[in-house]
Amino acid sequence: MNYWLMKSEPSVFGIDDLASTPRKTTAWDGVRNFQVRNMLRDQMHKGDLAFFYHSGCVEPGIAGIMKVSCAGHPDSTAFEPENPHFDPRSTPAKPLWYAVDMTLVKRFKQRVTLTEMRRHAALKDMLILRRGNRLSITPVTAKHWHYILKLAVAI
DNA sequence: GCCAACGTTGGC
DNA sequence: GCCAACGTTGGC
């Protein structure tokens, strides 16, 4: 059982969008970074939990929890010429890019903001807090996961 | 809108 | 294989 943090810009797709999606489930597709591709393809397993992180907005932070409802599968948006994520290097026979399906577990009543996370020494090693980190998905340790859950309740 | 960080591309 | 140029991310 692994824990993850997954970024999305709420102006594109936020946690409220996921909540209003049928079965509260979406394909987490369009990732075009090889490091993240490897996590999607090889390391994210059904049942893993992930924080839904809002980036590129007024108050960046963790908005809630999702779970992996389907492990890595070829990202079909790469096959669609009309899709902005189209990549001719990827074919159904030899897929280059992968996606997972994510299902909403819960929305936090109050979000754990980036500012709040920075205030806690216990979280200082989190990849998301590291300067210049741009990976849209990062692994989260069990220790950090549970610490943030407590923050989410306490705030 | 600015800028740091960093991945990708392509010429050599 | 090197490295400059370029594009993207994302906090501020």
Side-chain angles (χ1 to χ4, degrees):
Chain A
M1 158 75 140
N2 298 315
Y3 299 106
W4 307 94
L5 181 148
M6 304 169 79
K7 295 179 193 170
S8 185
E9 296 184 31
S11 62
V12 178
F13 189 84
I15 198 163
D16 293 337
D17 296 309
L18 182 55
S20 57
T21 300
R23 304 196 332 278
K24 298 182 195 300
T25 298
T26 192
W28 205 270
D29 53 25
V31 172
R32 297 294 179 264
N33 170 285
F34 287 104
Q35 242 179 297
V36 179
R37 188 278 309 266
N38 293 345
M39 293 186 232
L40 288 165
R41 189 187 57 188
D42 307 328
Q43 293 169 246
M44 299 183 72
H45 306 303
K46 187 175 177 177
D48 283 2
L49 295 172
F51 289 131
F52 193 131
Y53 180 91
H54 282 175
S55 66
C57 54
V58 175
E59 201 160 43
I62 297 169
I65 299 172
M66 303 178 280
K67 69 175 177 211
V68 178
S69 48
C70 181
H73 51 83
D75 179 348
S76 60
T77 65
F79 308 143
E80 302 163 1
E82 304 307 313
N83 195 292
H85 300 294
F86 175 63
D87 186 343
R89 297 174 299 171
S90 188
T91 63
K94 215 175 173 188
L96 182 61
W97 302 113
Y98 283 75
V100 294
D101 289 355
M102 299 302 297
T103 301
L104 183 66
V105 173
K106 73 185 292 187
R107 279 183 278 188
F108 289 160
K109 286 199 180 70
Q110 208 149 9
R111 293 171 184 175
V112 180
T113 65
L114 183 60
T115 314
E116 172 73 10
M117 290 164 71
R118 286 198 199 285
R119 288 180 42 223
H120 293 266
L123 300 178
K124 70 171 172 23
D125 293 330
M126 282 192 76
L127 293 173
I128 186 75
L129 300 184
R130 248 185 22 196
R131 187 180 172 76
N133 165 54
R134 299 179 312 153
L135 296 180
S136 61
I137 301 178
T138 46
V140 172
T141 66
K143 200 180 80 175
H144 291 152
W145 178 270
H146 291 109
Y147 192 94
I148 286 171
L149 283 191
K150 278 188 218 158
L151 279 186
V153 174
I155 281 173

